[in-house]
Amino acid sequence: MADTENRPSNFIRNIIDADLAAGKHKTTHTRFPPEPNGFLHIGHAKSIVLNFGIAQDYNGLCNLRFDDTNPEKEDIDYVNAIKEDVNWLGFKWDGDICYSSNYFDQLFGYAEELINKGLAYVEFSSQEKIREMRGSLKSPGQNSPYRETSPEENLKLFHEMRDGKFKEGECCLRAKIDMASSFICMRDPVIYRIRFVNHHQTGDKWCIYPMYDFTHCISDALENITHSLCTLEFQDNRRLYDWVLDNISIESRPHQYEFSRLNLEYTLMSKRKLNTLVTDGHVEGWNDPRMPTIAGLKRRGYTPGSVTEFCKRIGVTKVDNMVEMGMLEACIREDLNEAAPRALAVVDPIKLVIENLPDGHVEWIDAPNHPNKEEMGTRKVPFSKEIYIEREDFRESANKKYKRLVIDKEVRLRNAYFVKAVRFDQDEEGNVTTVYCEYDPTTLGKLPADGRKAKGVIHWVSASEGVEAEIRDYDRLFTVPNPAAEEDFTTVLNPESLVIRKGYIEPSLLNAEAQQGYQFERLGYYCFDGKTNDEGKMIFNKTVGLRDSWGNGDK
């Protein structure tokens, strides 16, 4: 067992500790079993960190297994995306990737065994009739008229299902358990259905496919999983999990344990609903930076460390709760504050002309890449006669609380000189277009000799050497904390979840790599999207603000 000094504790780890201490298992073997029917989201990241983290901490094993029993909704592109996400988070599965489809022959054999034991039968009732016969939470189910078909006849019919002699929906295979059970999942659940669909792993070999609840427990057993970790919605299904393993000839006996799923404010954790956002064009795709998918978070500039730290902070319990988005944002903010190099960018520019500089003047100023980390070095920033500043950083006049540029007052340009505004131009609508200033050439990297102080510090970008870029400011995708509770979640989409601005960046950012995080000084944390817009301009995505603004009246 690994060193336990810095290992987190939760009820699942307590169970594992007890099992190992009692000699129930010699090693711990977990698995992460996504269905390849969409991209992984932050909720799956919690499961990844839990399962792979346990394997790491206990010197155990963790499989990556695709529960690929529903080929109608699955795709090889999802398989590849999921593998990439697991690797990006910093985890490696043990051995080869597993697929439930690898076990289709064995699963068929175990279904035959249940039939021969009189514990499964071929059902010819319609789906609607099966639902009707299943009853409700208040009333027991009714036995199917096909429930007492002989094992010999059921086996013959099941083989005919496999051989394609029935149409889709004409029949299915049901487990024979208890139609009066207080748990509806035990009322003769369907365990095989007919689908004439090409499978991304098995091609056209099969036209019958096992259901998830039948497949999952057997796959766990075949892989010698010791602790099968699922979210709470599978709690009742544990009875079916155990029933299947109790009634087939299989040696390994994994056990299922449930923990609370992740519910994150202002977003959704349903693949079906996320797919609706994609297919209906509300977002660009599964990797849209507003999506809670791992691919979306990566494109937005989140780091693997920030995501795994978030998953560790929220913990593992049996109590469902809603996690504040601010917790996730705090993790990436802390990460980037330490690691992100600084850069200059202006997103709502007005021009500032320094009148006591000669035309065409450009000098290259040394600027630190991080104010607190000399080891990160410096970069060269061009300073010219004409620069851009933020529109909100200039006023003709203002009170003492305004710490930016005002007529006849001085500010420091970040990493550069003191400047004093002397006049400005306006357009016909009264909007400031140009501010005219004078600079003090003695103030580069030091205070004026006479001891005067600047009113504040503002950022800037050279107008002649700066680079035009597209700046994408992302916000929460929904306007309410729990969009899943709405009758139609699309009615509470945030119309300002994406605001696109045309701004300017310092030229060093031309060398930015995709998803590399930067602090745009005084603006927030941004990353290069990895692509350009239709005009060939680099796109930078906002990761998170410099501070949490959702706790005040601004929002």
Side-chain angles (χ1 to χ4, degrees):
M1 188 183 299
D3 180 19
T4 62
E5 183 177 348
N6 297 313
R7 206 168 66 199
S9 178
N10 54 58
F11 78 96
I12 290 175
R13 288 172 180 263
N14 292 340
I15 290 170
I16 293 173
D17 289 339
D19 287 347
L20 292 173
K24 186 175 181 179
H25 306 293
K26 292 183 179 179
T27 188
T28 300
H29 199 159
T30 58
R31 82 290 170 271
F32 174 61
E35 184 181 354
N37 62 352
F39 280 50
L40 300 183
H41 54 59
I42 188 73
H44 296 107
K46 176 181 177 179
S47 181
I48 291 170
V49 172
L50 175 62
N51 282 285
F52 284 93
I54 285 172
Q56 287 181 349
D57 290 347
Y58 287 89
N59 294 326
L61 304 170
C62 185
N63 293 2
L64 173 60
R65 178 175 76 234
F66 290 98
D67 275 334
D68 52 345
T69 61
N70 191 7
E72 290 172 298
K73 297 183 178 180
E74 297 167 357
D75 192 280
I76 192 64
D77 289 340
Y78 294 142
V79 171
N80 294 331
I82 290 169
K83 291 190 290 186
E84 182 179 330
D85 287 346
V86 173
N87 281 326
W88 181 75
L89 285 171
F91 297 106
K92 184 70 179 75
W93 49 88
D94 289 283
D96 295 332
I97 290 176
C98 302
Y99 296 88
S100 292
S101 55
N102 291 346
Y103 315 131
F104 278 177
D105 287 306
Q106 290 146 291
L107 290 162
F108 184 84
Y110 288 124
E112 289 180 310
E113 181 178 356
L114 290 178
I115 291 171
N116 285 324
K117 290 180 175 178
L119 295 176
Y121 60 96
V122 175
E123 170 70 79
F124 286 89
S125 301
S126 67
Q127 290 185 17
E128 292 76 13
K129 186 63 177 177
I130 292 174
R131 279 194 291 267
E132 180 185 327
M133 288 189 295
R134 192 166 285 149
S136 68
L137 293 173
K138 296 181 178 180
S139 60
Q142 300 173 3
N143 286 347
S144 164
Y146 303 96
R147 201 171 192 265
E148 300 306 323
T149 304
S150 69
E152 294 77 16
E153 179 65 14
N154 278 318
L155 193 63
K156 170 179 172 293
L157 293 170
F158 187 51
H159 286 180
E160 290 176 350
M161 285 175 59
R162 176 199 59 188
D163 296 338
K165 295 184 178 180
F166 297 109
K167 298 179 293 187
E168 282 192 17
E170 187 174 353
C171 57
C172 60
L173 184 69
R174 296 177 69 178
K176 187 177 180 180
I177 307 179
D178 180 6
M179 291 302 293
S181 172
S182 57
F183 297 95
I184 292 180
C185 66
M186 300 296 283
R187 296 180 186 177
D188 291 11
V190 175
I191 58 175
Y192 263 91
R193 79 285 201 204
I194 300 170
R195 290 290 184 272
F196 292 99
V197 182
N198 182 274
H199 191 285
H200 54 90
Q201 296 295 319
T202 61
D204 293 322
K205 178 180 178 181
W206 295 90
C207 65
I208 57 171
Y209 291 98
M211 300 297 286
Y212 173 86
D213 283 329
F214 179 69
T215 306
H216 185 75
C217 55
I218 296 175
S219 299
D220 281 349
L222 292 172
E223 294 173 14
N224 294 308
I225 302 303
T226 56
H227 299 81
S228 179
L229 310 180
C230 302
T231 47
L232 281 174
E233 61 262 37
F234 293 98
Q235 184 169 258
D236 287 350
N237 297 60
R238 180 171 13 107
R239 291 159 179 81
L240 180 54
Y241 185 103
D242 291 339
W243 182 90
V244 171
L245 296 180
D246 285 342
N247 287 285
I248 61 174
S249 303
I250 198 163
E251 190 170 325
S252 178
R253 273 309 308 264
H255 289 272
Q256 177 178 303
Y257 303 92
E258 305 86 21
F259 61 94
S260 61
R261 63 180 293 169
L262 171 60
N263 299 300
L264 186 63
E265 286 184 341
Y266 296 98
T267 191
L268 298 166
M269 292 292 141
S270 160
K271 271 189 184 179
R272 178 181 59 82
K273 292 179 179 178
L274 292 176
N275 186 59
T276 297
L277 292 174
V278 174
T279 56
D280 290 356
H282 297 294
V283 293
E284 291 184 4
W286 285 96
N287 70 339
D288 188 298
R290 292 166 292 181
M291 291 280 274
T293 56
I294 296 174
L297 292 168
K298 175 182 177 183
R299 188 175 161 203
R300 188 161 175 169
Y302 276 76
T303 60
S306 67
V307 175
T308 55
E309 174 64 19
F310 168 72
C311 294
K312 292 174 182 177
R313 287 187 186 183
I314 60 176
V316 178
T317 70
K318 275 185 168 288
V319 180
D320 270 327
N321 65 326
M322 185 71 71
V323 177
E324 294 182 358
M325 179 67 79
M327 287 187 65
L328 175 60
E329 292 177 342
C331 290
I332 185 60
R333 191 180 289 114
E334 292 170 14
D335 190 324
L336 293 178
N337 183 51
E338 287 294 312
R342 275 42 175 174
L344 295 173
V346 174
V347 299
D348 187 15
I350 58 171
K351 187 170 287 187
L352 188 149
V353 178
I354 303 171
E355 294 189 292
N356 57 334
L357 276 175
D359 292 343
H361 176 89
V362 177
E363 64 179 289
W364 293 81
I365 296 173
D366 283 324
N369 287 326
H370 195 292
N372 303 319
K373 295 190 174 184
E374 291 185 6
E375 66 272 18
M376 291 183 67
T378 61
R379 67 194 189 281
K380 294 289 186 179
V381 177
F383 178 74
S384 55
K385 180 181 178 71
E386 295 185 356
I387 63 177
Y388 292 113
I389 65 171
E390 297 290 348
R391 182 173 300 278
E392 66 177 20
D393 282 345
F394 171 76
R395 291 182 187 175
E396 181 180 359
S397 62
N399 60 31
K400 292 182 178 180
K401 292 183 178 180
Y402 186 74
K403 301 297 184 182
R404 286 168 270 184
L405 190 60
V406 180
I407 292 295
D408 292 330
K409 301 292 184 181
E410 284 184 305
V411 297
R412 181 182 288 282
L413 300 174
R414 176 74 81 186
N415 302 314
Y417 300 94
F418 275 34
V419 295
K420 181 172 70 173
V422 295
R423 59 192 176 88
F424 62 93
D425 293 338
Q426 293 175 295
D427 60 20
E428 294 179 354
E429 298 176 351
N431 298 310
V432 175
T433 57
T434 307
V435 180
Y436 298 90
C437 291
E438 294 178 350
Y439 90 116
D440 183 343
T442 69
T443 55
L444 181 62
K446 57 185 178 181
L447 293 171
D450 61 10
R452 70 185 191 277
K453 296 181 180 179
K455 190 173 179 65
V457 179
I458 65 173
H459 59 280
W460 55 278
V461 171
S462 166
S464 60
E465 307 300 316
V467 179
E468 189 176 351
E470 181 176 301
I471 311 297
R472 295 186 173 186
D473 283 351
Y474 289 100
D475 208 334
R476 285 152 170 70
L477 185 55
F478 294 94
T479 58
V480 297
N482 186 14
E486 301 293 321
E487 185 174 343
D488 179 0
F489 63 89
T490 63
T491 63
V492 290
L493 283 164
N494 181 5
E496 297 183 352
S497 63
L498 170 59
V499 176
I500 297 177
R501 306 176 189 272
K502 300 297 182 182
Y504 293 88
I505 58 175
E506 65 174 76
S508 70
L509 291 171
L510 288 170
N511 298 318
E513 296 183 0
Q515 283 76 58
Q516 166 65 53
Y518 293 88
Q519 185 191 105
F520 285 1
E521 299 207 40
R522 300 180 65 236
L523 294 177
Y525 295 99
Y526 290 77
C527 72
F528 175 43
D529 188 78
K531 64 181 182 180
T532 58
N533 63 14
D534 293 340
E535 299 172 355
K537 310 299 183 184
M538 296 176 74
I539 298 171
F540 282 84
N541 298 326
K542 184 175 184 178
T543 306
V544 69
L546 294 177
R547 59 189 62 84
D548 183 4
S549 62
W550 275 75
N552 59 39
D554 292 346
K555 293 294 182 180

